[in-house]
Amino acid sequence: METKPERHRHDRVHEEGGEDDATMAHGALSLHHRGAAALFGPRHDEEAAGRRGEIREVDFFSRDSGARRQQDDGGGRRVPPGGGRDDVNIGLDLLTTGTAAAASAGEEVTAAKNHKMEASAVETELRRVVDENRQLRGILEELTRNYGTLYQQLLQVTQHHPHQHQHPDLMNNQSSLLPHTHLNTMGAPNSSATRQLLEARASSTARTRPDAGAEDEASDGAGEASPSLSNNGGNNNSDGKRKMSQDGTAPPRENGEQASSAELPGRKARVSVRARSEAPMISDGCQWRKYGQKMAKGNPCPRAYYRCTMAVACPVRKQVQRCAEDKSILVTTYEGHHNHPLPPAATTMANTTSAAAAMLLSGPATSRDGAAALLSHHPAALFHHHASIPYASTMATLSASAPFPTITLDLTQAPGGGAPGSGGLLAHGLQRPPVGMVHPAAAGPAMPFAVPSPLAMFLPQRAPAAAAAMPAGLVARQPQQSVMETVTAAIAADPNFTTALAAAISSVMAGGGAQQAQLATPRGSNIGIAEEASGGAGTTAPAAPTTAAAGAHAASGSPRFATQSCTTSTT
DNA sequence: CGTGTTTGACCCGCGC
DNA sequence: GCGCGGGTCAAACACG
Ligand SMILES: [Zn+2]
């Protein structure tokens, strides 16, 4: 069964030419050329099309028809008619005027009239409010949509901060959602997190891929090109012999400016997530295609290699492997950055991983803090199901050792594990994370930082919930989506989040090193992972359509769970 | 027939 | 230079 490694084939015959052709045969997967913009087709098409309970078959290809109509500007623009919110009408028929009996007590009549007038006034007011509410919801939706993008970009900015010069490659990704504001570019050395946020946004939209290098979108978050997995730079070569790209890797980075410490050519960030799961693979909202499997040497369990198939040239890869000691722990390692729009269900994970990667690459010190802050956001929300993460604390460990700097997000910590910090660390002894766990700058063998049960907005998927409350009707088709949407919406909606984030980020950027920003969630942490029963071995198990929009309340209601306190402690 | 998985071959960096 | 090991390719299959 196992792959009988019979490598050492140095005596192989080089038949490059043939290979290239062969590659072509691979069709979809190995496009040698890809139009930059072409990749980022209308993102809503997919939403509209993928409605059948599975995200598959995204209509990215529809771009060919040159359609790419109005790139979702403003993402939320087309707010669905408030899901029938109008029915809120409080049918108070207060206006009925009772002419009659008024005769007797004139005073009473006047009083009554006043009453009625008041009532009507109230009613009008109410209507107005309802209307306003609807509008707000529309805005909220928009925010929701952009949150992911902004978040990524923000982090990118953070990453590039030291060298404002770098192109904060927009992930054309969802940048398409952003309005076409053509402000200046990234540069903005402003320290204000929010400022940067804005600028990042602006720049992203403004920027048009400078040169054919085209690999930018891929490289950004996770990281530049690097040996293997990296983005197959849209250029012809890339695939022919992806390996070749290695060489081409360094050069592609147009700007001679050598990536500084932050972006060493060879560095490619990886984000691995450890979670308990019985399913063969956690569902993170993306579509993956397995392209290989190998027996890792220190592990009886094979390691599977997957590649994102939501877009023809998406560079994202992931490895899935069970922990040797504890088979119930599934270690998923992500690498790369999606270069295409993602379904809401996948944005959280994508954001988190890319952000983590970005921070990781941005430098030791900052990365830690950043990661800490970052992780405290989406902790458990990373997965939708298949992964049991009934724990409130998460721990992340950075590792810059080895070929790739890696950040490990550990979601397997024991629930009762009182002190997240030390407790979590110790846990490593038992479960022995697959990564090096040694950070150069770190005093200890590893730099784990516990994330105090963040907003456990992971919410239960079973919640029958009022789907109606879901503002974005188009997003609510899938339980996952709705859940994630809710989460994102909630995050984006809560002002405190912004504040906290800003604080955290700024502290990270300013403090440079020894600060630890964590966002604590005081209340409402009800982490509940719906263990989806879809035993389907399918990679992306189509979420059970049964669960309607779970947590819709959170969205429409008051997203109160967001961070309410942002503690910045100096270590 | 198209699409996704399996699995041996291949590629390449790295340590010795 | 060799051997090792991680990672990827792609022909052969399996599946619906
Ligand atoms: Zn992708």
Side-chain angles (χ1 to χ4, degrees):
Chain A
M1 309 318 173
E2 305 109 51
T3 46
K4 219 18 187 260
E6 192 185 327
R7 35 199 105 94
H8 321 326
R9 267 313 152 49
H10 292 283
D11 46 328
R12 69 267 179 180
V13 224
H14 283 284
E15 37 190 344
E16 303 299 310
E19 295 236 12
D20 279 336
D21 293 339
T23 309
M24 285 307 275
H26 224 262
L29 266 182
S30 23
L31 282 195
H32 288 229
H33 207 79
R34 71 170 192 264
L39 281 177
F40 318 97
R43 141 174 207 186
H44 297 306
D45 282 357
E46 74 179 74
E47 293 178 342
R51 75 179 292 62
R52 335 164 268 259
E54 30 186 27
I55 319 175
R56 2 172 26 91
E57 306 302 89
V58 183
D59 272 49
F60 289 122
F61 307 88
S62 60
R63 66 176 183 264
D64 290 337
S65 56
R68 203 160 87 242
R69 54 247 136 187
Q70 92 155 76
Q71 307 262 51
D72 341 77
D73 321 7
R77 284 312 147 55
R78 42 182 205 355
V79 180
R85 230 39 198 162
D86 312 73
D87 50 11
V88 176
N89 176 7
I90 40 119
L92 299 176
D93 278 351
L94 306 175
L95 294 177
T96 51
T97 40
T99 52
S104 51
E107 290 186 352
E108 282 191 355
V109 172
T110 5
K113 281 190 174 179
N114 282 340
H115 231 73
K116 288 172 182 174
M117 290 184 69
E118 254 180 58
S120 66
V122 170
E123 184 186 16
T124 334
E125 175 69 9
L126 231 165
R127 286 207 176 114
R128 192 181 62 74
V129 171
V130 168
D131 202 59
E132 191 177 315
N133 184 34
R134 207 178 329 161
Q135 292 184 5
L136 288 176
R137 206 161 39 239
I139 296 175
L140 173 62
E141 184 189 50
E142 183 172 347
L143 287 175
T144 291
R145 293 188 177 298
N146 293 335
Y147 168 70
T149 305
L150 292 176
Y151 191 73
Q152 291 182 343
Q153 291 171 350
L154 169 62
L155 289 166
Q156 280 175 32
V157 170
T158 300
Q159 174 186 356
H160 294 148
H161 182 60
H163 321 282
Q164 305 122 353
H165 166 175
Q166 288 286 339
H167 57 298
D169 307 331
L170 36 149
M171 314 240 54
N172 295 326
N173 192 342
Q174 301 164 324
S175 63
S176 56
L177 295 178
L178 304 174
H180 299 311
T181 25
H182 289 281
L183 302 185
N184 59 6
T185 48
M186 58 294 165
N190 302 312
S191 53
S192 161
T194 44
R195 252 257 196 49
Q196 297 206 359
L197 196 149
L198 291 175
E199 304 222 353
R201 175 176 178 154
S203 66
S204 71
T205 45
R207 260 159 165 328
T208 50
R209 56 176 20 9
D211 60 345
E215 59 154 80
D216 35 33
E217 82 271 16
S219 64
D220 54 356
E224 345 325 20
S226 94
S228 21
L229 311 185
S230 77
N231 47 36
N232 26 23
N235 290 332
N236 38 31
N237 83 338
S238 66
D239 263 316
K241 273 287 142 190
R242 74 271 145 188
K243 293 302 183 178
M244 302 308 259
S245 67
Q246 287 187 52
D247 301 340
T249 303
R253 272 276 162 253
E254 65 271 7
N255 50 22
E257 162 128 279
Q258 153 128 325
S260 76
S261 60
E263 308 183 11
L264 293 179
R267 299 184 73 185
K268 175 141 187 114
R270 285 188 178 181
V271 180
S272 74
V273 180
R274 292 160 50 81
R276 292 183 187 287
S277 172
E278 282 142 48
M281 191 171 91
I282 56 179
S283 170
D284 47 27
C286 267
Q287 272 203 296
W288 305 93
R289 179 159 116 59
K290 190 174 184 177
Y291 68 86
Q293 178 169 315
K294 272 231 153 185
M295 293 303 299
K297 71 166 180 251
N299 194 332
C301 304
R303 171 185 299 164
Y305 298 89
Y306 296 87
R307 133 190 315 155
C308 174
T309 59
M310 296 199 83
V312 280
C314 183
V316 177
R317 302 267 194 291
K318 90 170 179 182
Q319 301 176 1
V320 178
Q321 182 172 38
R322 301 211 94 91
C323 182
E325 283 78 14
D326 190 342
K327 302 284 182 62
S328 69
I329 295 178
L330 199 62
V331 181
T332 306
T333 304
Y334 295 87
E335 182 174 330
H337 219 123
H338 293 283
N339 61 4
H340 55 85
L342 292 167
T347 55
T348 302
M349 177 57 97
N351 290 343
T352 302
T353 56
S354 63
M359 307 212 112
L360 198 51
L361 290 175
S362 72
T366 55
S367 59
R368 174 182 33 176
D369 302 337
L374 147 113
L375 291 172
S376 47
H377 290 26
H378 328 264
L382 301 179
F383 308 110
H384 314 297
H385 52 252
H386 284 295
S388 317
I389 320 171
Y391 317 120
S393 69
T394 299
M395 195 184 70
T397 308
L398 293 181
S399 169
S401 65
F404 322 101
T406 304
I407 179 171
T408 302
L409 213 184
D410 198 330
L411 300 176
T412 65
Q413 297 311 307
S422 59
L425 178 54
L426 293 179
H428 280 303
L430 296 175
Q431 306 178 340
R432 186 174 176 287
V435 289
M437 288 301 179
V438 179
H439 192 293
M447 288 171 44
F449 38 85
V451 180
S453 87
L455 28 168
M457 59 258 226
F458 196 54
L459 25 78
Q461 308 224 316
R462 306 280 204 234
M470 205 62 208
L474 64 172
V475 208
R477 2 201 82 105
Q478 277 202 9
Q480 299 185 0
Q481 295 184 335
S482 60
V483 169
M484 300 317 296
E485 185 72 7
T486 298
V487 169
T488 320
I491 291 177
D494 192 322
N496 286 328
F497 167 75
T498 307
T499 308
L501 177 59
I505 298 292
S506 56
S507 73
V508 166
M509 304 203 308
Q515 295 191 347
Q516 186 167 354
Q518 24 180 239
L519 306 170
T521 314
R523 145 231 319 261
S525 293
N526 65 326
I527 293 185
I529 282 60
E531 181 95 24
E532 187 132 323
S534 70
T539 48
T540 317
T546 56
T547 43
H553 287 313
S556 61
S558 51
R560 228 25 292 189
F561 58 65
T563 46
Q564 297 187 346
S565 71
C566 172
T567 47
T568 345
S569 60
T570 316
T571 48

